[in-house]
Amino acid sequence: MADNNLAQYQEQLDEKVSRLNTLLGEFSAPALSVFPSSPEHYRMRAEFRVWHEGDDLFHIMFNQQTKEKYRVDTFPPASEGINRAMVELLDLIRPNEILRRKLFQIDYLSALSGEMVISLLYHRQLDSDWENHALRLKESLSQFFPAVSIIGRARKQKVIIGNDFVIERLPVNGREFVFKHIENSFTQPNAKVNCSMIEWALDCVKPLSGDLLEMYCGAGNFSIPLATHFDNVIGTEIAKPSVNAAQYNIEHNNLDNVKIVRLAAEEFTQAMRGERTFSRLEGIELSDYNFTTVLVDPPRAGLDIDSLKMIQDYDNIVYISCNPETLADNLKVLCTTHNVVKTALFDQFPFTHHIEAGVLLSRK
């Protein structure tokens, strides 16, 4: 990358650090640990609309302000695998009327492991002829990628040629963790910064013991590595595909001290308080656990007041946030009972205003 682009990246990162420091300033927060990203090839997934122009066919994106479309032949934020696939895929689809007809979007999901899923979205129903051509497309792409799958999507239709997931292998503190990442489900987009996030969380809990509760656990991105430290881990997640992937991840990382339950954070709060019982908690006696630490990674809206009050019952809180503004709002409540003892900025999304933050709180 050119020196001026590197300088621009550092300038934007410095601005994010300043902004997060300002938001955390009223909570007597310690100095931030800053985890930068590679300025290029950091995104493990990307999606593009497709534009048909005569015999040509190409990816497009839209300017968010003007809505003007522009052609995208390469996409530097995306992984090198996605950039290679963008070229090879369209070279194979352009001359193929069966594969290109009414194709309107292409989604890419890649992994550090080299695996890839390419989803082709259509404004028409897909038949056996399409499947035959998609199978040959997969075979042709296999010369460039060690494991590639093709998915065709249309209204109320999903055709899988291969798998609808990639198996990711994340290096964390010298150990490799295996994760199933399912197409069209949430995964952390910046794999290398995600490894830094997990390592930071592991560093936070190093002096802690007992059991861990994780809310909004997804497919176990934090639960599974942190299970190597805690006696027991329970994770809660509402999305069924993520829960299913988490069960795969538990098995393939050879862990026997992790349980994932399909409950919303609000529902788990009610269960912990004894206000409601849930069949999905059958066989799990919450009173048997010694929960000393809770990890939350909520959506942009942050935590609701009931969940905030519930996590205040724990001695230690690890809060991962994709929205520093709602994090700051939540800290106004949490800091009535806890102190901020560690903070971090993870630059998941270079050259954007988005900030991923981490905070460790301990009871006063």
Side-chain angles (χ1 to χ4, degrees):
M1 176 174 261
D3 288 344
N4 63 331
N5 284 343
L6 283 171
Q8 184 186 19
Y9 170 70
Q10 188 60 51
E11 182 181 337
Q12 292 198 356
L13 180 58
D14 291 344
E15 186 277 329
K16 291 180 183 181
V17 170
S18 175
R19 183 152 47 101
L20 186 55
N21 273 325
T22 299
L23 284 168
L24 297 178
E26 66 177 285
F27 307 108
S28 303
L32 280 170
S33 297
V34 179
F35 297 89
S37 172
S38 300
E40 289 187 344
H41 304 311
Y42 55 86
R43 280 194 68 94
M44 306 310 291
R45 62 177 194 257
E47 59 183 51
F48 305 94
R49 298 301 291 266
V50 173
W51 196 257
H52 299 251
E53 198 168 88
D55 292 334
D56 202 2
L57 182 78
F58 48 88
H59 303 90
I60 62 167
M61 296 182 75
F62 293 93
N63 183 302
Q64 291 185 340
Q65 280 73 43
T66 66
K67 305 304 178 186
E68 180 183 2
K69 71 176 186 297
Y70 56 97
R71 179 170 179 151
V72 181
D73 292 321
T74 60
F75 188 56
S79 68
E80 291 180 350
I82 289 176
N83 275 275
R84 177 77 182 272
M86 289 170 67
V87 175
E88 304 296 348
L89 179 74
L90 289 193
D91 282 350
L92 292 165
I93 290 181
R94 279 192 192 95
N96 189 311
E97 176 57 28
I98 302 297
L99 292 175
R100 69 176 283 165
R101 184 163 63 88
K102 296 196 175 180
L103 173 67
F104 73 92
Q105 183 169 316
I106 302 174
D107 299 348
Y108 299 89
L109 173 63
S110 64
L112 294 178
S113 66
E115 295 193 14
M116 182 169 304
V117 173
I118 301 172
S119 301
L120 307 176
L121 283 64
Y122 290 88
H123 284 311
R124 67 178 178 91
Q125 291 298 288
L126 305 177
D127 54 19
S128 59
D129 201 15
W130 180 89
E131 286 193 52
N132 290 332
H133 282 262
L135 181 59
R136 289 196 286 273
L137 174 65
K138 178 184 183 302
E139 291 169 351
S140 296
L141 289 171
S142 293
Q143 65 182 302
F144 307 111
F145 306 100
V148 61
S149 298
I150 303 294
I151 295 176
R153 285 187 173 273
R155 182 176 172 80
K156 295 183 179 180
Q157 193 177 20
K158 178 181 177 182
V159 181
I160 303 170
I161 311 295
N163 298 312
D164 65 348
F165 59 84
V166 296
I167 300 301
E168 181 58 289
R169 301 179 184 277
L170 296 181
V172 175
N173 288 343
R175 173 172 172 173
E176 184 178 85
F177 288 91
V178 177
F179 291 94
K180 176 188 278 190
H181 288 172
I182 300 174
E183 177 258 1
N184 214 31
S185 294
F186 175 78
T187 55
Q188 296 287 352
N190 189 325
K192 292 182 179 178
V193 171
N194 183 37
C195 291
S196 297
M197 291 170 61
I198 296 169
E199 290 175 349
W200 178 82
L202 281 165
D203 185 63
C204 284
V205 305
K206 193 178 294 182
L208 309 180
S209 59
D211 298 333
L212 171 72
L213 167 66
E214 183 183 356
M215 303 168 74
Y216 308 95
C217 73
N221 184 67
F222 291 101
S223 301
I224 285 168
L226 267 62
T228 61
H229 176 79
F230 287 97
D231 295 333
N232 297 284
V233 175
I234 285 188
T236 70
E237 172 58 45
I238 192 61
K240 195 171 183 179
S242 293
V243 173
N244 292 339
Q247 303 298 354
Y248 175 98
N249 298 337
I250 291 168
E251 178 184 353
H252 285 77
N253 287 285
N254 300 310
L255 297 168
D256 59 7
N257 63 335
V258 187
K259 289 184 170 62
I260 307 295
V261 293
R262 193 163 68 86
L263 290 174
E266 297 80 3
E267 292 175 323
F268 192 83
T269 299
Q270 293 170 334
M272 284 293 294
R273 290 176 173 168
E275 296 171 356
R276 286 182 65 186
T277 58
F278 295 90
S279 60
R280 283 166 284 176
L281 280 171
E282 188 174 352
I284 299 175
E285 186 56 60
L286 294 177
S287 61
D288 290 344
Y289 286 82
N290 176 30
F291 290 121
T292 60
T293 305
V294 60
L295 187 150
V296 292
D297 185 5
R300 292 188 60 77
L303 291 171
D304 63 277
I305 189 62
D306 287 340
S307 295
L308 281 171
K309 289 178 178 177
M310 192 273 278
I311 69 173
Q312 284 179 294
D313 291 340
Y314 299 87
D315 291 341
N316 312 290
I317 302 167
V318 182
Y319 193 134
I320 307 293
S321 171
C322 60
N323 185 344
E325 282 76 18
T326 56
L327 168 64
D329 286 341
N330 284 175
L331 286 176
K332 290 174 183 176
V333 176
L334 297 176
C335 286
T336 61
T337 53
H338 289 67
N339 291 318
V340 177
V341 294
K342 281 182 183 289
T343 61
L345 185 153
F346 310 102
D347 197 20
Q348 282 262 15
F349 304 99
F351 301 108
T352 75
H353 71 282
H354 293 293
I355 293 175
E356 195 92 6
V359 174
L360 171 65
L361 301 105
S362 293
R363 186 181 301 281
K364 290 182 179 180

